[in-house]
Amino acid sequence: QLQASGGGLVQAGGSLRLSCAPSGRTFSIYSVGWFRQAPGKEREFVAAISRTTTNTYYSDSVKGRFTISRDNAKNTVYLQMNSLNAEDTANYYCAATTSYGSIFDVARRERPDTYDYWGQGTLVTVSS
């Protein structure tokens, strides 16, 4: 129901921009999060953005390097990733929730089960 794209192979220090778009839905009513999962590890929160774009949130590991944004006119959410390093290698997933309040609660927005809809993932590989 969500289509994530933009992954690929990049050298350490490089950049990628991921995109997330829904199939048959109007994205503006959803708060959206990005998660990632590396081999053998649990899925972890990366970033989230509220419906109105006013509020954005990041994990400590990506703060200052990644930027989440959305263009509701284009029905798309982006994750701009700069200064990539090997630890960023993972499958990246976008997820969406209609629960307005959950995005403002740190305990809820960082939990995968808060989100109702998920994309299939896009692989990011950072070579060192």
Side-chain angles (χ1 to χ4, degrees), residues 49 79 104 108:
I49 188 166
L79 185 68
F104 304 111
R108 293 170 65 188

Side-chain angles (χ1 to χ4, degrees), residues 17-39:
R17 188 177 77 160
L18 306 183
S19 299
C20 177
S23 299
R25 296 181 184 272
T26 301
F27 226 7
S28 60
I29 67 173
Y30 297 91
S31 296
V32 177
W34 284 97
F35 289 75
R36 65 186 182 186
Q37 188 166 19

Side-chain angles (χ1 to χ4, degrees), residues 80-95:
Q80 178 67 43
M81 306 186 297
N82 299 329
S83 302
L84 287 162
N85 57 59
E87 288 68 39
D88 296 316
T89 294
N91 263 308
Y92 283 72
Y93 299 87
C94 61

Side-chain angles (χ1 to χ4, degrees), residues 96-107:
T97 178
T98 56
S99 174
Y100 180 73
S102 63
I103 207 69
F104 304 111
D105 182 324
V106 60

